[in-house]
Amino acid sequence: MFGLFNRPELELDTSGNVPMVDICELDLVYENGHQALHQVNLQIQKGEFVFLVGTTGSGKSSLLKLLYRELRPSSGNVLVGGLDLGDLARNEVPYLRRSVGVIFQDFRLLGNKTAAENVAYALEITGTAKRKIPSRVAQVLELVGLSDKAKRLPSQLSGGEQQRVAIARSLVNQPSLLLADEPTGNLDPDSTWDIMQILSRVQNAGTTVVVATHNQQVVDLMRKRVLVMKRGHLVHDLARGAYRLDGRGSGLHVDQPSTPFSAVEL
Amino acid sequence: MFGLFNRPELELDTSGNVPMVDICELDLVYENGHQALHQVNLQIQKGEFVFLVGTTGSGKSSLLKLLYRELRPSSGNVLVGGLDLGDLARNEVPYLRRSVGVIFQDFRLLGNKTAAENVAYALEITGTAKRKIPSRVAQVLELVGLSDKAKRLPSQLSGGEQQRVAIARSLVNQPSLLLADEPTGNLDPDSTWDIMQILSRVQNAGTTVVVATHNQQVVDLMRKRVLVMKRGHLVHDLARGAYRLDGRGSGLHVDQPSTPFSAVEL
Amino acid sequence: MMGYSGYFFREVLTNIRRSPLMSVASVTTVLVLTLILGYFTALMMNLEALAHSLLREVQVVAYLDDDANRVSVAQQLDRIPGVEEAHFVSKETALKKLVERMQGRIKVDDLTRNPLPDSYEVAVDSADSLELVAKRAQRIAGVSYVKYGEEIAQRMLRFNSLVRTVGVVILGLLFLSTVLIVSNTIRLTVFARRKEIEIMQMVGAAEWFIRWPFIMEGVLQGLVGSVVAATLVGGSYSLVVPKLMQTITFLPIVQAEDLLPMLIPALIFNGAFVGGLGSLLSVNKFLKV
Amino acid sequence: MMGYSGYFFREVLTNIRRSPLMSVASVTTVLVLTLILGYFTALMMNLEALAHSLLREVQVVAYLDDDANRVSVAQQLDRIPGVEEAHFVSKETALKKLVERMQGRIKVDDLTRNPLPDSYEVAVDSADSLELVAKRAQRIAGVSYVKYGEEIAQRMLRFNSLVRTVGVVILGLLFLSTVLIVSNTIRLTVFARRKEIEIMQMVGAAEWFIRWPFIMEGVLQGLVGSVVAATLVGGSYSLVVPKLMQTITFLPIVQAEDLLPMLIPALIFNGAFVGGLGSLLSVNKFLKV
Ligand SMILES: Nc1ncnc2c1ncn2[C@@H]1O[C@H](COP(=O)(O)OP(=O)(O)OP(=O)(O)O)[C@@H](O)[C@H]1O
Ligand SMILES: Nc1ncnc2c1ncn2[C@@H]1O[C@H](COP(=O)(O)OP(=O)(O)OP(=O)(O)O)[C@@H](O)[C@H]1O
Ligand SMILES: [Mg+2]
Ligand SMILES: [Mg+2]
C-alpha cells in the first residue's frame, strides 16, 4: 500500500575487513555542467580520523555529500562499509544514513523542534524505545555543553549553539562513520577544542571520523591524516599531516594582499 | 493608500561629530526571559575597525542585531550616526539599513535569486539607476573573487562562496557602518585574509567596521581595537588588542580537555 | 507502525501548535468547500424530489363511451403491463370538479345535461410506460378517447432528466474542485515545510516515518473542517426546512431526517479523505532521494 | 513607483519561473472558484428569468353580467392604476378555448346554451398591483365576479422572492468563500516565502518595495485563473444554450449575448481583485519590523 511500511534491513560491514570508505575513480558533475570532483581515489579504514582541507569551493562538501548519498557519483564508485552507494535503492538510503552521522555546514536543524527534540528525532526514526530517549538526549546535550538550552528552538540559539545541537544530533546514534563539514566554523577556540576532543573520543570508540575544515590550528595541533583538495582533485594525502594548501604554503599572509583593490572604488 | 508609497528620507550623521555607534546602559532580554546583554556601554567613532570576540553565546550577534534594529533594546539607548534606534518609526527602518551593511552569520541570501541578483537587489531597493547596476555588481563580485559564479543560485554554491556573496552584498551600497558576523567562518585562511584586506580597505575609505569573530589568528595579526564579551557583559575594551577570552588566556589548550568525558558512553 | 501512532499524533499536535497558520488555512478551505458541497447536495436532493413529485402527476385518462361496460374496461385496463391502478371517475364527479375548478365561470343551472363522459384515471408505474399504456387502452372496446398529456409528460420527463444530469455533473465538478483546491492548499503547506522534509531524510528517517504525521495532519485538518461544515449544514437545514414547509406549501421539500443521516457522514468522510489524500500526494512530491 | 513597475514585473516573472508550484496552486484555485461562481451566476440568472416569466402569466379576469355594458366596463378598467391592458374575451371564444383545452371531454352538441360569461383579461404592471386592481374591478357596475388566481399569484410571488433571496444569499456566500479561499492560498504562498521577505527587510527594502511585486503577482495569478475560467464559462454557455433552447422549450433561457457581456468582465475583475487583495493582506502579515 503505497510502500508506506516497507522496511528493508541494511547493515554496513564494520568488521574492518573492508575499508570504511572506498572511493574509486570518482567524478562528480553538477547539473549545470560544473565538474566538482575529478578522478578521486581514496580509502579510509575503520577507526581512522581524517581531515579534509582545501580552499573554498575545492569540493570538500561535495565529497562528503557523496558519502551519505545526498549526491550520486557521475562516474566511478563510492563504497561505504562495503555498500556500493550507486546501487542503493531509494528505500535503503534512510538506513545508510542512520549508520552515518553528519554534521552539516549549515546545521540543518528542524526549525519547529527544540534542541532536545532535534536530537531526539534522530533516535525516534530508528525505533529506539521511548523511555530510553530522554536520558540519551540529555547525555549528548551535556557532552556538547548545551544542557541548559535543551528546550530552546533553533531560532533562540546563537550560531555556535546551533552548531553544537547539530553535533549532538550526529553523535546520538553512535554512527559507524561520522562526517563533519566545518563543525567548528561558528565556535570559539575553546569550544572548538572541546568539540575536537569529543571527536577524538568518538574515534577511539571505533568510529571513523572525517572532518572537513578550514581551521588551520586544529589541523596542525591534532596531527591526523590530512587530505588536501584543490579544484576537485585530491592533491595530497598526508599521514599525521599539517594544514597546507598547495602552492602558497600554510596560513595567513599579512603583507601580500592577493586581490587588486585598485579596480574598485570604495 | 495603505502606506504603499510613503518614503521618509533619513540620513545618518556621518560627519564624525557624533560617535558612529553610541550604546548606553543597554540591557537586552529575549522573550523567553533570557538576558543576553547586561548594562553594555560602548562608543565607536567614525572610521574605526573593531573586533568583537567572546565565547559562543556571549551576545555578539545580539549586540550587532541591535545596531541594525533587528532587535530593540529592553532598556538603555542605542544610537547609530546620531539616530536613536529606539525611537525609529517602522517605515524608517529600511533607510537605516541601507546605511548599515550587514554580513550575517547564516548568510541570508535570497534562495531564488542568483549571486549577482542577490547583490543587485541591495542596489535596486535604493533606486539606483538601472544601467549602473550591472557594472557595480560585477565590480563587487570581482572584489570577493566570485566573478565566474555570478549566475549561480545560492544552492549551487559552496559554503564559502555563499559567504562571499553575502560579503559582496553588504559592500555594494558603500555603507557608513559595516557589521560583519563571523564573516570568515566558512573560508579557508587565504580567502579569510583576502576578505580582511577588503574590510581594511573599506575602513580606510571612511567606513566604520565591526567584526564579530572567533578567528584568533585574524584578530592577533590585525591588531585592531578588540571588544571582549562574556555572558552578555562587555568585559574588555582593548586598543590594538589580541584575541583573548577572559580567564583562560588565548587560543587552544591541547592538554586540558575541559569537558568530563567519563560521564558519557561512546 | 501502530507502535508509532502515539508518537505521530504528538508530532501532529506539536506541529499545529507551533505553526497554526497553515492548519487554519487548510481547515478553513476544507470547511468552506464542504459547506458549498453540502448545501448544493441538499439543493439537488430537493430539486430531485420536486421533479419526482411532478412526474407522479402524469397519468393516463381513458374516457368511456356512454354505453361502455365499466367492469370489463377496468379488467382490461388492469391487464395492461405498467398499469398500477385504474380509478373510476363518474361523469357527475367530473362535472363537479370542473365547476369547482372554474370557480363561477360556468353556471351549472345553464346545463340541461352533463356534457362530460365517464372516465378512468390510470396510474402507471413509470413515465416510460405512459405511451404504451395509452396505446393499449385505446384499443379496449368501450374506450372512446385516451389522453395522457403527452406534452406535459414530455416536459416533466425532460425536466426530470435535465435536473438529474445537471445535478450529477455539477456535484461531480464540485467534488473534483474540492479535491483539487484542498490538495492544492495542503501541497502549499507541505511546500512551506519542504526544508523540514529534506532534513528528516538527511538524518535517515524512512519515507513512511516522514509521511505518516503529514497524512494524519491532513486527515485531522480535513476532519475538523468538515465536521464544522457538516454541523453548519445540518443545523441550518433542520432549522430552515420546517419554516420553509410552512410558507412554500406548493413545493415538496426533503425532510431533514431523510437527508441528514446520509449527508452528514458523507461530508465528514469526504473531508477526512480529501485531507489525507491531499497530504499523501503532496508529501510524495517532496520525498525525493 | 511607476519607474519601478518594469522592474517589479520582471521580478514577478522570474519568481514564477523559478517556483512555478506556488503560481500553479494559486491560479488553479482562482480558476476553479471562478468557474463555480460563473456557472452559479448563470444558473441564478436563469432561475430569475423563469420566476419572472411565470409572474407574467398572472392576470386579473373580470367576468361580466349578461347585460353589462362592455365599453363602459373597459373604460373603467383602464382607469384603474396598475392596469396595462384589458383584453375582451367573448363567451363564445371562452367556450371554444374551454372545449379545446378539454380535448373531447366536453361534447359541444350536448350544450343547449353557452354556460360561460363574457370576460376581460386584465394585464397588470406588477404582481403587487394584482390585489388592488382586482378589488377596484369588482366595484365596477356590470362586473359579476373577479378572479385573479390568488393562489397561483401567491405561489409565484413566493417562488420569485424565494429564488431571489436564496440566490443572492448563495451568491454572496460563494463570493465570500472565493475571497477566503483565494486569500488563504495566497497567504500560504507568501508564508512559504516568509524567509525571503525577512531577508528583503534586512537589507533595507522599504515595505512598498517588497509589497508591490507580491501584489502584482497576486493580480496576475488572479487574472490568469479568472480569464481561463471566464472563457470556459462563456464558451460552454454559448455552446449549450442554443441546444438547450431546442429541447426545453417550456423554460425561458437567458441568451448568451444577454448574460456574457456582463458576466465575463465581472468574473475577470473579481479574480484580479481577489488575487491582489489576498496578496496585499498576506504580505502585510509578514511585514513586521
Ligand atoms: N531569540 C532568542 N531567544 C532567547 N534567547 C536567545 C535568542 N537568541 C539568542 N539567544 C541567547 O542569547 C545568547 C546570546 O546569543 P548570541 O547569538 O548573541 O551569541 P553570539 O555571541 O553571537 O554566539 P555565537 O558565537 O555562537 O554566534 C545565547 O545564549 C543565546 O542562547
Ligand atoms: N548544486 C550545485 N550546482 C553546481 N555547482 C555546485 C553545486 N554545489 C556546489 N557547486 C560547486 O562545486 C564546487 C565545490 O563545492 P563544495 O561545496 O564541494 O566546496 P567546498 O570545498 O565545500 O567549499 P567551502 O569550503 O566553501 O564549503 C564549488 O565551486 C561550487 O560552486
Ligand atoms: Mg563546503
Ligand atoms: Mg552569533
Side-chain angles (χ1 to χ4, degrees):
Chain A
M1 164 195 189
F2 300 103
L4 292 179
F5 298 105
N6 53 349
R7 216 176 157 176
E9 283 311 327
L10 180 143
E11 291 272 322
L12 301 190
D13 181 348
T14 56
S15 64
N17 296 335
V18 294
M20 194 44 141
V21 172
D22 192 351
I23 294 176
C24 181
E25 303 198 339
L26 173 69
D27 277 336
L28 175 68
V29 183
Y30 280 109
E31 268 175 28
N32 68 349
H34 181 87
Q35 180 154 9
L37 294 174
H38 298 263
Q39 290 294 310
V40 174
N41 288 289
L42 172 63
Q43 291 203 336
I44 300 174
Q45 300 304 322
K46 176 175 188 299
E48 271 195 275
F49 193 119
V50 180
F51 280 116
L52 194 58
V53 303
T55 52
T56 350
S58 56
K60 303 181 293 300
S61 298
S62 301
L63 187 61
L64 294 182
K65 282 177 188 165
L66 285 159
L67 293 180
Y68 58 91
R69 242 307 300 275
E70 182 170 342
L71 297 175
R72 279 168 190 271
S74 305
S75 74
N77 293 310
V78 175
L79 277 76
V80 171
L83 285 178
D84 188 335
L85 301 194
D87 290 346
L88 219 57
R90 187 177 147 176
N91 59 7
E92 290 171 333
V93 173
Y95 301 92
L96 165 73
R97 291 185 181 165
R98 292 177 195 182
S99 304
V100 179
V102 187
I103 303 165
F104 300 91
Q105 195 167 9
D106 50 357
F107 316 155
R108 306 212 191 165
L109 300 175
L110 293 166
N112 60 352
K113 288 185 187 290
T114 64
E117 286 168 350
N118 264 286
V119 176
Y121 191 76
L123 286 174
E124 281 153 357
I125 58 173
T126 62
T128 308
K130 213 185 299 173
R131 64 205 151 63
K132 286 192 188 159
I133 293 179
S135 65
R136 183 91 192 105
V137 169
Q139 235 178 8
V140 185
L141 285 177
E142 167 82 41
L143 183 68
V144 299
L146 267 187
S147 301
D148 52 331
K149 283 164 185 155
K151 294 230 173 92
R152 297 266 191 95
L153 292 175
S155 61
Q156 299 173 328
L157 293 173
S158 81
E161 287 161 352
Q162 291 180 48
Q163 194 157 43
R164 286 189 279 170
V165 177
I167 294 168
R169 181 179 63 185
S170 75
L171 293 178
V172 74
N173 263 330
Q174 296 172 286
S176 322
L177 174 61
L178 182 63
L179 307 174
D181 199 352
E182 201 63 74
T184 58
N186 287 283
L187 296 178
D188 58 83
D190 289 338
S191 304
T192 297
W193 196 240
D194 291 344
I195 294 298
M196 284 302 157
Q197 292 292 330
I198 294 172
L199 296 185
S200 272
R201 179 59 60 112
V202 171
Q203 179 207 5
N204 292 338
T207 295
T208 313
V209 180
V210 181
V211 180
T213 188
H214 292 302
N215 197 318
Q216 184 188 356
Q217 281 181 297
V218 164
V219 176
D220 289 349
L221 282 167
M222 302 253 307
R223 288 281 155 195
K224 304 282 189 182
R225 180 176 170 193
V226 176
L227 302 171
V228 184
M229 310 244 358
K230 189 180 175 190
R231 297 214 199 115
H233 296 270
L234 187 60
V235 292
H236 292 289
D237 186 343
L238 317 162
R240 296 189 64 77
Y243 188 98
R244 55 176 294 235
L245 303 183
D246 210 55
R248 287 169 85 181
S250 85
L252 298 170
H253 304 256
V254 182
D255 308 355
Q256 310 169 3
S258 58
T259 312
F261 294 126
S262 45
V264 186
E265 23 138 340
L266 278 168
Chain B
M1 164 193 186
F2 299 104
L4 293 180
F5 299 105
N6 52 350
R7 217 177 154 175
E9 284 309 329
L10 179 146
E11 292 270 324
L12 300 190
D13 181 346
T14 55
S15 65
N17 296 336
V18 296
M20 194 45 139
V21 173
D22 193 350
I23 294 175
C24 183
E25 302 196 343
L26 172 68
D27 278 335
L28 175 67
V29 183
Y30 279 109
E31 269 176 27
N32 68 350
H34 181 88
Q35 181 153 9
L37 295 174
H38 298 264
Q39 291 293 310
V40 173
N41 288 287
L42 171 65
Q43 290 203 338
I44 300 173
Q45 301 303 324
K46 178 176 186 300
E48 270 194 277
F49 192 119
V50 181
F51 280 116
L52 195 58
V53 303
T55 51
T56 352
S58 57
K60 303 182 295 299
S61 299
S62 302
L63 186 60
L64 295 183
K65 281 177 188 166
L66 285 158
L67 294 179
Y68 58 90
R69 241 306 300 273
E70 182 172 342
L71 297 174
R72 279 168 188 269
S74 305
S75 75
N77 293 312
V78 175
L79 277 76
V80 170
L83 286 178
D84 188 333
L85 302 194
D87 290 347
L88 218 57
R90 189 178 141 172
N91 59 5
E92 291 171 335
V93 173
Y95 302 92
L96 166 73
R97 290 185 182 166
R98 293 177 195 183
S99 304
V100 179
V102 186
I103 303 167
F104 300 92
Q105 194 166 10
D106 50 357
F107 316 155
R108 305 210 193 171
L109 300 176
L110 294 166
N112 60 351
K113 288 185 186 290
T114 63
E117 286 168 350
N118 262 286
V119 176
Y121 191 78
L123 287 174
E124 280 152 358
I125 58 172
T126 62
T128 308
K130 216 186 298 176
R131 64 204 151 63
K132 287 191 187 159
I133 293 179
S135 65
R136 184 93 192 103
V137 169
Q139 234 177 9
V140 185
L141 284 178
E142 167 82 41
L143 182 69
V144 298
L146 266 189
S147 300
D148 52 331
K149 287 170 181 148
K151 295 229 173 93
R152 297 266 190 95
L153 294 174
S155 60
Q156 300 173 327
L157 294 171
S158 81
E161 286 161 353
Q162 291 181 48
Q163 194 155 45
R164 286 188 279 169
V165 177
I167 294 168
R169 180 179 63 186
S170 74
L171 295 177
V172 74
N173 262 331
Q174 296 171 286
S176 324
L177 174 61
L178 182 63
L179 307 175
D181 199 352
E182 200 63 71
T184 58
N186 288 282
L187 296 179
D188 57 83
D190 289 339
S191 305
T192 297
W193 195 243
D194 290 346
I195 294 299
M196 284 300 156
Q197 293 292 330
I198 294 171
L199 296 184
S200 271
R201 178 59 59 111
V202 170
Q203 179 207 5
N204 291 339
T207 296
T208 312
V209 181
V210 182
V211 181
T213 188
H214 292 301
N215 196 320
Q216 186 188 356
Q217 281 182 297
V218 164
V219 177
D220 288 349
L221 282 167
M222 303 251 308
R223 288 282 155 197
K224 303 281 186 183
R225 179 174 170 195
V226 176
L227 302 171
V228 185
M229 311 247 353
K230 190 181 172 189
R231 297 216 198 114
H233 296 272
L234 187 59
V235 291
H236 293 290
D237 187 344
L238 317 161
R240 298 189 61 76
Y243 188 98
R244 54 174 293 234
L245 304 184
D246 209 57
R248 287 168 84 183
S250 84
L252 298 171
H253 303 255
V254 183
D255 308 359
Q256 308 172 5
S258 59
T259 312
F261 294 125
S262 45
V264 185
E265 22 138 340
L266 278 168
Chain C
M1 125 89 203
M2 277 312 123
Y4 286 103
S5 57
Y7 165 73
F8 288 154
F9 196 66
R10 261 176 294 123
E11 275 285 299
V12 169
L13 292 188
T14 310
N15 187 52
I16 292 176
R17 202 156 32 80
R18 293 206 182 131
S19 52
L21 169 75
M22 297 197 283
S23 298
V24 168
S26 311
V27 168
T28 331
T29 303
V30 172
L31 199 162
V32 170
L33 289 170
T34 308
L35 268 184
I36 295 179
L37 206 59
Y39 282 126
F40 186 77
T41 310
L43 190 71
M44 276 305 307
M45 291 306 210
N46 276 291
L47 277 181
E48 176 87 22
L50 172 66
H52 203 75
S53 82
L54 289 177
L55 250 193
R56 238 179 305 150
E57 293 188 3
V58 179
Q59 54 184 3
V60 175
V61 183
Y63 298 101
L64 303 190
D65 293 331
D66 283 349
D67 53 356
N69 179 341
R70 268 177 56 181
V71 181
S72 139
V73 170
Q75 282 169 350
Q76 292 179 58
L77 282 173
D78 278 342
R79 252 180 267 133
I80 302 175
V83 168
E84 299 236 298
E85 200 197 359
H87 175 68
F88 181 72
V89 180
S90 69
K91 45 169 50 183
E92 291 76 30
T93 317
L95 183 62
K96 232 192 322 187
K97 274 196 197 166
L98 179 66
V99 170
E100 238 169 52
R101 202 150 15 123
M102 304 292 281
Q103 284 187 314
R105 284 160 66 192
I106 292 183
K107 292 158 191 164
V108 190
D109 339 329
D110 289 343
L111 299 175
T112 51
R113 192 178 164 287
N114 185 341
L116 300 175
D118 289 337
S119 62
Y120 273 103
E121 291 178 4
V122 182
V124 295
D125 58 359
S126 86
D128 304 328
S129 318
L130 273 178
E131 206 173 335
L132 187 78
V133 171
K135 255 187 207 152
R136 298 275 303 261
Q138 182 73 69
R139 277 191 247 129
I140 296 173
V143 171
S144 68
Y145 181 80
V146 172
K147 186 173 167 291
Y148 69 95
E150 294 91 341
E151 206 195 335
I152 297 183
Q154 293 295 346
R155 283 190 187 183
M156 293 302 124
L157 274 173
R158 284 216 199 98
F159 183 63
N160 197 34
S161 73
L162 185 76
V163 164
R164 196 165 288 175
T165 319
V166 170
V168 168
V169 168
I170 298 186
L171 210 58
L173 291 179
L174 269 185
F175 179 76
L176 274 184
S177 309
T178 307
V179 173
L180 201 70
I181 294 182
V182 170
S183 62
N184 255 348
T185 307
I186 291 185
R187 181 167 320 147
L188 288 176
T189 67
V190 175
F191 181 73
R193 292 167 65 189
R194 64 198 178 286
K195 286 261 170 258
E196 232 177 275
I197 294 180
E198 216 179 286
I199 295 171
M200 290 170 171
Q201 285 196 295
M202 286 299 164
V203 294
E207 298 192 355
W208 62 267
F209 194 90
I210 299 173
R211 225 181 253 128
W212 273 110
F214 278 95
I215 296 176
M216 283 175 63
E217 194 172 329
V219 170
L220 193 69
Q221 291 167 344
L223 265 182
V224 172
S226 58
V227 164
V228 174
T231 310
L232 285 177
V233 170
S236 57
Y237 196 83
S238 18
L239 216 78
V240 167
V241 160
K243 286 197 189 147
L244 224 55
M245 299 246 254
Q246 285 170 6
T247 32
I248 334 171
T249 44
F250 58 99
L251 288 178
I253 292 174
V254 181
Q255 302 274 348
E257 55 265 41
D258 292 336
L259 179 68
L260 301 184
M262 294 286 292
L263 184 59
I264 288 186
L267 290 178
I268 293 177
F269 174 80
N270 181 251
F273 178 76
V274 170
L277 190 72
S279 280
L280 176 61
L281 296 179
S282 311
V283 181
N284 278 350
K285 274 209 108 178
F286 295 100
L287 276 178
K288 279 175 235 140
V289 180
Chain D
M1 124 86 202
M2 276 310 124
Y4 286 102
S5 57
Y7 164 75
F8 287 154
F9 197 64
R10 262 175 295 120
E11 275 283 300
V12 169
L13 292 188
T14 310
N15 185 52
I16 290 176
R17 202 156 31 79
R18 293 206 183 132
S19 50
L21 169 76
M22 295 196 284
S23 299
V24 168
S26 311
V27 168
T28 328
T29 302
V30 172
L31 198 162
V32 169
L33 290 169
T34 309
L35 268 185
I36 295 179
L37 207 59
Y39 282 126
F40 187 77
T41 311
L43 189 72
M44 275 307 305
M45 291 306 209
N46 275 290
L47 277 181
E48 176 89 23
L50 172 67
H52 203 75
S53 81
L54 288 175
L55 250 194
R56 237 180 307 150
E57 294 189 2
V58 179
Q59 54 184 3
V60 175
V61 183
Y63 297 101
L64 304 189
D65 293 330
D66 284 349
D67 52 355
N69 179 342
R70 270 177 55 183
V71 181
S72 138
V73 171
Q75 284 169 347
Q76 294 179 59
L77 281 174
D78 279 341
R79 252 179 269 136
I80 302 175
V83 168
E84 298 236 299
E85 200 198 358
H87 174 69
F88 181 71
V89 180
S90 71
K91 49 163 55 176
E92 291 76 29
T93 317
L95 183 62
K96 237 199 305 188
K97 274 198 198 165
L98 179 65
V99 170
E100 237 168 55
R101 206 158 3 131
M102 302 292 283
Q103 282 187 313
R105 284 162 65 193
I106 292 183
K107 293 159 193 165
V108 191
D109 338 329
D110 291 342
L111 300 174
T112 51
R113 189 177 166 289
N114 185 342
L116 301 175
D118 287 336
S119 63
Y120 273 103
E121 291 176 6
V122 182
V124 297
D125 58 0
S126 86
D128 304 327
S129 317
L130 273 178
E131 205 173 338
L132 186 78
V133 170
K135 255 187 205 147
R136 299 272 304 263
Q138 183 71 72
R139 277 191 247 128
I140 297 172
V143 171
S144 71
Y145 182 81
V146 171
K147 189 175 163 289
Y148 68 96
E150 296 92 338
E151 206 195 335
I152 295 184
Q154 293 296 343
R155 283 188 187 185
M156 292 302 124
L157 274 172
R158 285 216 199 98
F159 182 64
N160 197 35
S161 73
L162 185 74
V163 165
R164 195 164 289 176
T165 320
V166 171
V168 167
V169 168
I170 297 187
L171 211 58
L173 291 180
L174 269 185
F175 178 76
L176 274 184
S177 308
T178 307
V179 172
L180 201 70
I181 293 181
V182 170
S183 63
N184 255 346
T185 306
I186 290 184
R187 181 169 319 147
L188 287 177
T189 67
V190 176
F191 180 74
R193 293 166 65 189
R194 64 200 178 284
K195 287 266 171 247
E196 234 177 275
I197 295 179
E198 216 180 285
I199 295 172
M200 290 170 170
Q201 285 197 295
M202 287 298 164
V203 295
E207 297 191 359
W208 62 267
F209 194 90
I210 299 173
R211 225 182 254 130
W212 273 110
F214 278 96
I215 296 176
M216 283 174 63
E217 193 173 328
V219 170
L220 193 69
Q221 291 168 346
L223 265 183
V224 172
S226 59
V227 163
V228 174
T231 311
L232 285 177
V233 169
S236 57
Y237 196 82
S238 16
L239 215 78
V240 167
V241 160
K243 286 198 189 150
L244 223 55
M245 299 244 257
Q246 286 171 4
T247 33
I248 333 174
T249 45
F250 58 99
L251 289 177
I253 292 175
V254 181
Q255 301 273 348
E257 55 264 40
D258 293 336
L259 178 68
L260 302 184
M262 296 285 292
L263 183 58
I264 287 185
L267 290 179
I268 293 177
F269 174 79
N270 181 251
F273 179 76
V274 170
L277 190 70
S279 281
L280 176 61
L281 297 179
S282 310
V283 181
N284 278 352
K285 274 210 109 180
F286 295 101
L287 277 178
K288 280 173 235 141
V289 180

